[in-house]
Every structure is written in C-alpha cells, then in structure tokens.
Amino acid sequence: MSQPPKACIIGAGCSGFTTAKRLKDFGIPYDCFEVSDDIGGNWYFKNPNGMSACYESLHIDTSKWRLAFEDFPVPADWPDFPHHAQLLQYFKDYVDHFGLRDTITFNTSVEKARRTPDGLWDVTLSTGETRTYDVLFVCNGHHWSPRIPDYPGTFDGPAFHSHAYSDPFDPIDMRGKNVVVVGMGNSAMDIASELAQRPIAKNLWVSARRGVWVLPKYMNGKPADKSAMPSWMPRKLGLSMARKMIKKTLGNMEDYGLPKPDHEPLEAHPSVSGEFLTRAGCGDINFKPAIKALEGKRVRFADDTVEEVDAIVFATGYDMRFPFFDDPELVPDADHRLPLFKRMMKPGVPNLFYMALAQPLPTLVNFAEQQSKLAAAYLAGRYMPPSVAEMARRIVKDEETHLGQYYQAKRHTIQVDFGIYVDDLHREIARGEKRAKAAGNPLPVPGRGRAAVA
C-alpha cells in the first residue's frame, strides 16, 4: 500500500488544532507549526506573537451552544456567552484531551511555502530549515493584519487600531478623554460600550460611513443564535421571517439616536451587542458620519462638524494576508476575493487547503472542524473532488447562495451560512466518496508520502 501523504499545518489556533485532530484520527501524518508559545491564536489574550485581537473584557458573540466542538462538549457551568479566558482554556483542554500538544512545534513560523516543479510544497521555517511536504493546510487566520483608513491631514494625538486595544487604560488611559471609535462592527461596539461608561471617556463618538442594524445577543429570553432558521427552510422565506422578527423586536435604529441603515437586516455581516443600543439610547454614545479630515487635535467629519478629539480607535477590520506565499494566484485580490471550492480548495491545486477562511454565521470556532472532515477523507483516499471545471461551476453557485443577500463590500466576500454550508459539505463528502470508490480509492495528492527534509 502507498503511504499516506504528509501534511504541514500553518498555525495552531482553533482551525489548526481541529484540523490536526482530524488528520490524527485518519492516520494522516502531519507537522503543525505555531509562531507563538501556545495554542489559541486570536483567543490567546496578550499573545506574544502580537497577532491576537483579544481585549480584556471580550466575550464571544457566539453562544456556547453553537461554538462547541462536536466531540468535546463545553463545560456545563459556562455562561451563555463565555469570556475569552474560558474559551482559551476550553481550547487547551481539547488539545490535551486528544493528545495534540506534542505534535505542535511552538515558537516556529512558516516563512515561505512554495510549490515545487513536481507539485509538492517546500516549506521554509523561521529556524532556517526547509522541509518538503505533500500537502499544505493554511490555518493562520484572518483577524491579525489591521486595516487602517487613510485620511487627509494629520492627527496630533494617539490613534491606533482596535487590534492594539487591551482595556480603557491600555495602550493609553482613556479616562476623561474625548474619543472617536471608527467603525460599527462587533469590536467597535464592544469598545465603544466599554469606553462610554462613566467616568471613562468624557465624550464618545462612533464614526461610520453608514448605519447598521445592531442585533441583540438574546431574543425572546434565549441566545439569539439558537433561533437561527433551519437549513432546510427556503432561503428567501427564512430571511423574510428573520427580518420581520428583528424589526419587531428592535424597532428603528433612529430611535436610539443612530443613523437609519441603508439596507435591510442581515444584508450585512451582523453587528451584535448586548449593550450598544442602551448606551446610545442613554446618550453615552453619539454618532458621527465618516471622518473627512484630520486637523491636528480636531477631527472633521463628512457633515463638516468638527470635534476636539484626544484619541482615535480604528475598529476598521483586517486584511486577509498569507505572507508565506509568493504566488499571487494563492492570495486574495484587491477586493478580498479568493474563490475556493467549498471555501477551502483552489481548483487546480489539489494539495492546498485554506481552513476557516470564511466568515460563517453564527460561528467560526468549529468551522474548520467541519471542513476537516472532507480534507482528511480526501487525503485518506476516501473522497475524490469533482473536476476542475465542475469545481469552478460550483464555486459560482455557492457564492450566489451565500453572498446573494449581502451588499457588495470587502467584508462580505467570505460570508457563509454555517448550517447551509455544513449540510452541503456533508452531501459533497458523500458524493466524493462515491467518486473515490468508482476510481478505486486512490491517494490523490502528489508525492504520496515523500515528505522529507530538503
């Protein structure tokens, strides 16, 4: 029998270590490299690798019911929306329970990953060593490279991305300050709600180009994500029912002192907060349109109002980056588009998997756990993907399904509905198993176990 292919996993966040667990279950050999000194990635507060976006008060917006790994239940005594420290400990317990820690090489980054002429992967590590692998799993996440807008003029005070925010006193003491938070995503709302508490910020403005629908964490006394429409329900009907329920529950955003959204609920990636609307309704948070210019200690907004400002926090999202790739075909384009089969495989590159490169609703935590079912079956010879042409056709169809409800923006290029995606993924695995059996269950990856030190 041919040896199974050997894989390289880049990163040991939740997508990396759940991928490792599945490969281990299937007997697929792998090396996992993590630049930090421990697992956890984005959920490792004050991660020494500098890539974590965690702040001290952060609680996940996904309920424990929806983020749990299917073969490792969350602690029964958890609150509905656990603190980041609880989630990190859950990750550590998972890794230790399944004996994964010894398979991860810590304090080691992948500097370069290049395809060889025969289709394998030469992987150069921060140690200077180069190893050759049959398969590459990209699990480095997409919330670590901050995007900061460029404005005319200069600002004479501290201005930093939310990625650097730790608490109201770090990186600067916000007490008594006039603060602008730019953005209306989840981090913006969490940080604005925290800073607006008296006696922290003197004045707190949220600046954004457009209004959004701010969704609550609870609906009808239960975590809102437990009320997600079932995947079997027709898409249009489910969206219509959800939008009516949201409007009936929340009313108009203008009633809270916020601008009227220019779109319907769920036409944008949801902004979820349990406090923001209350703070806005109490006048602790005030809204401003987009920043027009920076004028020393003053900020001019699109409506030409001007405010004296002490600090700016940019909660303006992240760029998707894969710095270890030189090939432009393997990275997103300027509009953040990287079409992938089942959001994980690039047609024509049979031994490359992008794990959790998606923005699934309601949860990203256990997304790669589901994707790894297809990847591991593929490497074990139990699954065979469709042709490159069929992959391309299915990508277009899948993007119509998952992206059709959203307005066009960089932040919406990787949206997927978790329930619909997983149901379809399971169907695709079943189809691929039939294709593999018809072909005699071949190991489909170039090299077939020829991984070695170069």
Side-chain angles (χ1 to χ4, degrees), residues 30 35 53 64 89 114 150 193 237 241 277 290 352 433:
Y30 65 88
V35 66
K64 65 180 180 182
Q89 187 58 53
R114 297 186 176 97
D150 187 26
S193 298
L237 175 61
M241 293 176 62
L277 291 181
L352 172 63
E433 287 175 344

Side-chain angles (χ1 to χ4, degrees), residues 268-296:
H269 182 76
S271 296
V272 179
S273 175
E275 297 183 60
F276 186 84
L277 291 181
T278 299
R279 294 287 175 192
C282 292
D284 295 335
I285 293 173
N286 297 288
F287 182 83
K288 288 286 186 179
I291 292 176
K292 182 177 181 179
L294 304 175
E295 303 173 350

Side-chain angles (χ1 to χ4, degrees), residues 287-321:
F287 182 83
K288 288 286 186 179
I291 292 176
K292 182 177 181 179
L294 304 175
E295 303 173 350
K297 292 293 290 184
R298 307 195 314 165
V299 174
R300 183 176 297 276
F301 298 93
D303 59 359
D304 275 326
T305 58
V306 178
E307 299 292 349
E308 294 285 336
V309 174
D310 298 304
I312 302 175
V313 182
F314 298 106
T316 45
Y318 296 84
D319 291 320
M320 290 187 290
R321 292 187 58 223

Side-chain angles (χ1 to χ4, degrees), residues 133-146:
Y133 291 93
D134 303 313
V135 189
L136 187 68
F137 284 88
V138 176
C139 305
N140 68 320
H142 50 93
H143 290 109
W144 60 269
S145 181

Side-chain angles (χ1 to χ4, degrees), residues 13-94:
C14 56
S15 59
F17 65 70
T18 53
T19 296
K21 191 264 183 184
R22 189 79 62 183
L23 295 187
K24 183 180 179 182
D25 288 347
F26 274 68
I28 307 296
Y30 65 88
D31 291 330
C32 180
F33 299 103
E34 168 55 49
V35 66
S36 188
D37 62 353
D38 207 343
I39 61 98
N42 203 39
W43 291 96
Y44 179 176
F45 182 54
K46 291 189 178 295
N47 194 325
N49 67 13
M51 297 181 188
S52 172
C54 258
Y55 37 92
E56 176 57 44
S57 61
L58 179 63
H59 287 71
I60 192 167
D61 291 324
T62 305
S63 74
K64 65 180 180 182
W65 315 100
R66 301 305 298 265
L67 65 81
F69 299 122
E70 62 183 26
D71 52 2
F72 194 75
V74 298
D77 60 351
W78 261 17
D80 289 334
F81 298 95
H83 185 257
H84 65 76
Q86 293 173 297
L87 191 59
L88 179 60
Q89 187 58 53
Y90 174 58
F91 290 168
K92 290 181 178 180
D93 292 344
Y94 178 102

Side-chain angles (χ1 to χ4, degrees), residues 74-192:
V74 298
D77 60 351
W78 261 17
D80 289 334
F81 298 95
H83 185 257
H84 65 76
Q86 293 173 297
L87 191 59
L88 179 60
Q89 187 58 53
Y90 174 58
F91 290 168
K92 290 181 178 180
D93 292 344
Y94 178 102
V95 166
D96 293 338
H97 177 78
F98 292 111
L100 304 175
R101 187 169 294 275
D102 290 343
T103 72
I104 302 170
T105 303
F106 294 104
N107 299 304
T108 304
S109 64
V110 170
E111 299 295 306
K112 293 294 179 184
R114 297 186 176 97
R115 293 196 82 197
T116 66
D118 55 352
L120 304 181
W121 290 97
D122 278 347
V123 174
T124 302
L125 307 175
S126 55
T127 61
E129 180 184 15
T130 296
R131 302 184 184 184
T132 302
Y133 291 93
D134 303 313
V135 189
L136 187 68
F137 284 88
V138 176
C139 305
N140 68 320
H142 50 93
H143 290 109
W144 60 269
S145 181
R147 184 190 311 129
I148 297 179
D150 187 26
Y151 302 107
T154 58
F155 182 65
D156 292 342
F160 53 90
H161 196 275
S162 59
H163 190 268
Y165 179 83
S166 180
D167 59 49
F169 318 107
D170 182 14
I172 67 166
D173 188 341
M174 301 282 197
R175 288 175 295 187
K177 301 290 197 305
N178 291 330
V179 181
V180 174
V181 175
V182 182
M184 288 191 75
N186 292 343
S187 295
M189 294 189 176
D190 282 354
I191 292 170

Side-chain angles (χ1 to χ4, degrees), residues 242-257:
R243 285 168 178 160
K244 288 179 181 178
M245 181 174 61
I246 289 168
K247 290 180 177 180
K248 181 179 180 180
T249 301
L250 297 180
N252 299 317
M253 294 294 100
E254 309 94 283
D255 296 338
Y256 301 90

